[in-house]
Amino acid sequence: MECKQVQSLLETFVDGELNPQQTLAIEEHLATGCEPCVERFRFASAVKASTQHAVRQDVQIDDSFRQRLTAAIAAEEKREQTGSGSVISLTPSRWRAISGIAAAAALLLVWVGSQQWTGQSGHLPEQAATSSASVMNPSLGIEHALDRLIDHHSSPPQPQVTQPELLPALEPNVGVRVHLPSSLARFGARWEGAALVPVSNHQAASLRYRIPARRVLPRSTEYPMVSSAIGHRVTVYVYDPSKVPVHQSLQRQLVRDEPIYLGKWRGYTVAAKQNRGVGYAVATDIDDDSRIAELVTAIH
Amino acid sequence: MSDFKDFEQETLSHLEALMAFARRLTKSQAEAEDLVQDTYVKAIRARGQFQEGTNLRAWLLRILRNTFINRYHRGSLERSLVAKPVTDPVSDGWISSATMRATRDAENLALRPELARHICAAINDLPEEFRMVVLLADVEEFAYKEIAATLECPIGTVMSRLHRGRKLLKARLLQQARDNGLIDIETSVGEAPTQTSAEATTPTDVAQPVDLSSFRERNQSRLGTGSS
């Protein structure tokens, strides 16, 4: 290759953007020690390297900026969470105002400790395998679980069990005690049926409830809240919290000294708690935070 | 969501590259920081649009550039600086090998703060479109194709702007090197093209006309090339 041609391709050569034949031709030419071309090559390379060095050494990132940046990112995360996959923010005063049980139908997913029911310590071997899988990807497992629960709540299949006395039949699959929380009856909630829901390699029991259209209730100490809702559906999930720790992706709040985990998922409210090793989760379309809180505290 | 944290971590690994780019576009450190911060927020909001496995840095720089254009330039950038064609002091044969070697040595000596500042100043003087291409090619070492994707323009445009931008840069650097006495006046040949009057001296290794204007006349067609 002639010097003239080499020099016209030199810049592209330095950028590594020539095709293999051209690259080889130039390398061979430079290898002959052609002084003007070699010098131009070195000069072009030096300018490129100096440019890179000069720009990089002029970068300043101090701690205060890093803090501002991570704060801005965190704010963005929070902003997102109060959108579709989000956290309910309940101010402490609202929680304190909740006194009795209202007709709200927030269902709590109940986590049920396996120890509680089976009396065994530790996990069964096959269960241990699946739980370690969810531990490896804990957050993926949890979000998938919430999705499954919301899917089930939003499009419920036919119930598998409609008689309360048959609920214990679900217990071997769920791994925890399955019963109808007696407190929900006081909300006027009508139980429609139960089914098994596969949730990340485990199973939960779903208890479907409907809270009928509101009647105006007399103000009393027992029913301090008069809700204005039409009928709502509420699904209570009962499962083993050590297997499906849904609460990890929800926000922890204290309601009269009891930790409750709340969040919004795809437009539905999810609330969860643990009671004596049992996990309960509730999915509902009720939007009223205080009503959900009342329901949550009622379940035990 | 865990994918948020993962994404946050991945994007933060490109913080220095984004800051380097932002600093060369904006007029102050404060502006650069704001630009970078806005870029991160936008990137996070748009993370669903990022295709896993593709060049994240290029994607981030594209957001940065667009944010810069929209925020500071109401949608457009200056496209060209000089009305007349820019001569390339090197390929036009005005500079001897000795000069190039001397300049290169001088530059190597001082990966010196002053020289680095001069280079930064020279880059800042480039029109923004040229500047961006030079930054992506020389600092980030993106392939031409990646530069084209980041700047959303054809590869041909990338190549011509790169060539032109580097010409301007080289001319400026040579001028600075001479001004700062980093290269010996006797070894230099001709004037940097930014100067209007030429004190031409005969180059030692290439046959050239003594007179700049007759040189230019004889090489009109060559001088007309290299425009973007």
Side-chain angles (χ1 to χ4, degrees):
Chain A
M1 204 185 257
E2 295 269 316
C3 285
K4 203 166 182 175
Q5 197 184 359
V6 169
Q7 287 168 13
S8 73
L9 292 173
L10 214 44
E11 198 179 281
T12 317
F13 173 74
V14 169
D15 289 336
E17 293 273 349
L18 291 178
N19 68 39
Q21 297 96 302
Q22 291 169 317
T23 305
L24 197 59
I26 291 188
E27 283 175 358
E28 281 171 353
H29 182 91
L30 294 176
T32 65
C34 170
E35 206 231 338
C37 289
V38 166
E39 205 45 58
R40 282 181 199 228
F41 166 71
R42 287 180 178 159
F43 187 66
S45 304
V47 170
K48 186 167 177 171
S50 297
T51 303
Q52 188 183 76
H53 174 89
V55 170
R56 285 184 175 168
Q57 64 82 44
D58 196 35
V59 173
Q60 235 179 287
I61 297 173
D62 57 27
D63 285 340
S64 71
F65 173 62
R66 271 191 205 271
Q67 280 167 28
R68 269 187 287 132
L69 182 60
T70 45
I73 294 171
E76 186 54 32
E77 185 177 13
K78 193 140 220 172
R79 191 199 71 95
E80 269 181 34
Q81 284 172 345
T82 55
S84 56
S86 69
V87 171
I88 301 171
S89 66
L90 283 164
T91 61
S93 57
R94 289 176 80 183
W95 283 113
R96 276 195 293 273
I98 293 155
S99 51
I101 296 164
L107 293 176
L108 293 176
L109 288 172
V110 180
W111 287 318
V112 183
S114 53
Q115 309 91 297
Q116 187 88 4
W117 176 70
T118 61
Q120 294 166 359
S121 56
H123 302 283
L124 297 171
E126 63 273 21
Q127 287 173 335
T130 51
S131 65
S132 67
S134 64
V135 162
M136 268 172 8
N137 280 310
S139 42
L140 288 175
I142 290 162
E143 280 139 35
H144 178 69
L146 281 178
D147 260 342
R148 296 310 314 274
L149 299 179
I150 295 295
D151 278 345
H152 181 86
H153 172 73
S154 59
S155 318
Q158 285 299 313
Q160 295 166 316
V161 174
T162 50
Q163 290 162 288
E165 58 270 24
L166 295 178
L167 284 175
L170 302 177
E171 286 169 356
N173 299 76
V174 179
V176 297
R177 182 165 163 260
V178 179
H179 68 287
L180 294 184
S182 54
S183 49
L184 288 180
R186 295 194 280 155
F187 288 85
R190 268 202 308 266
W191 178 60
E192 290 181 335
L196 285 173
V197 185
V199 182
S200 41
N201 296 324
H202 305 287
Q203 280 179 313
S206 76
L207 308 172
R208 255 171 46 206
Y209 286 85
R210 187 172 291 279
I211 309 285
R214 180 184 61 132
R215 298 179 297 274
V216 176
L217 300 166
R219 279 190 79 82
S220 70
T221 51
E222 209 185 347
Y223 300 100
M225 309 276 299
V226 174
S227 79
S228 57
I230 318 170
H232 286 282
R233 280 194 315 105
V234 179
T235 309
V236 183
Y237 294 98
V238 180
Y239 58 91
D240 182 346
S242 65
K243 303 278 171 52
V244 191
V246 171
H247 68 278
Q248 282 177 23
S249 57
L250 303 172
Q251 193 188 44
R252 188 179 185 278
Q253 306 225 9
L254 278 179
V255 180
R256 280 177 277 148
D257 301 324
E258 186 184 18
I260 305 289
Y261 300 86
L262 290 151
K264 263 190 151 60
W265 200 262
R266 289 162 46 193
Y268 295 96
T269 303
V270 178
K273 83 175 193 184
Q274 241 167 318
N275 190 11
R276 279 182 268 118
V278 174
Y280 297 90
V282 168
T284 180
D285 59 345
I286 289 170
D287 213 17
D288 187 338
D289 292 350
S290 53
R291 294 177 65 194
I292 293 162
E294 287 163 18
L295 219 88
V296 166
T297 53
I299 297 200
H300 49 264
Chain B
M1 283 193 270
S2 79
D3 83 302
F4 189 100
K5 286 292 176 206
D6 289 342
F7 192 78
E8 179 184 355
Q9 214 176 356
E10 268 210 74
T11 54
L12 284 174
S13 74
H14 298 286
L15 178 58
E16 281 172 21
L18 293 187
M19 185 57 85
F21 199 76
R23 190 63 192 90
R24 299 272 67 82
L25 294 181
T26 57
K27 296 181 174 55
S28 70
Q29 176 66 22
E31 257 186 51
E33 288 179 1
D34 284 350
L35 181 56
V36 169
Q37 185 170 313
D38 290 345
T39 300
Y40 270 96
V41 172
K42 288 194 174 166
I44 277 160
R45 286 185 190 166
R47 69 187 184 281
Q49 293 161 35
F50 173 68
Q51 278 178 303
E52 202 75 45
T54 62
N55 188 340
L56 178 60
R57 185 174 293 192
W59 187 76
L60 293 170
L61 286 170
R62 178 152 27 119
I63 294 174
L64 195 150
R65 171 186 175 261
N66 289 331
T67 307
F68 173 71
I69 290 171
N70 293 327
R71 179 154 313 204
Y72 298 98
H73 283 264
R74 291 182 291 268
S76 68
L77 294 177
E78 41 185 38
R79 302 225 162 251
S80 95
L81 180 65
V82 289
K84 61 181 167 75
V86 181
T87 58
D88 184 338
V90 175
S91 64
D92 290 348
W94 287 359
I95 311 297
S96 68
S97 297
T99 305
M100 281 190 269
R101 197 180 311 116
T103 309
R104 184 166 58 81
D105 288 343
E107 289 184 355
N108 283 338
L109 280 189
L111 286 179
R112 254 169 12 189
E114 304 100 83
L115 191 62
R117 271 200 294 273
H118 287 310
I119 293 173
C120 287
I123 290 169
N124 290 352
D125 283 347
L126 292 175
E128 276 136 4
E129 288 290 11
F130 299 124
R131 201 186 314 166
M132 291 193 194
V133 187
V134 169
L135 289 171
L136 294 178
D138 291 355
V139 180
E140 296 307 327
E141 292 176 318
F142 276 10
Y144 292 172
K145 206 168 68 160
E146 290 172 320
I147 298 174
T150 306
L151 302 181
E152 293 168 311
C153 67
I155 288 191
T157 309
V158 169
M159 292 175 73
S160 66
R161 284 188 189 160
L162 189 56
H163 182 63
R164 203 169 150 86
R166 281 170 169 163
K167 262 195 205 177
L168 289 166
L169 203 58
K170 266 186 283 188
R172 179 71 189 269
L173 291 175
L174 275 161
Q175 182 63 49
Q176 283 173 352
R178 291 183 59 218
D179 289 349
N180 290 291
L182 291 171
I183 56 179
D184 198 337
I185 231 87
E186 277 153 29
T187 64
S188 77
V189 179
E191 285 296 315
T194 48
Q195 292 196 1
T196 49
S197 63
E199 312 153 34
T201 53
T202 313
T204 54
D205 59 345
V206 183
Q208 291 290 332
V210 174
D211 177 332
L212 177 64
S213 47
S214 59
F215 173 82
R216 280 185 168 161
E217 270 166 36
R218 277 173 43 165
N219 291 279
Q220 252 173 23
S221 56
R222 281 185 65 215
L223 293 174
T225 59
S227 58
S228 68

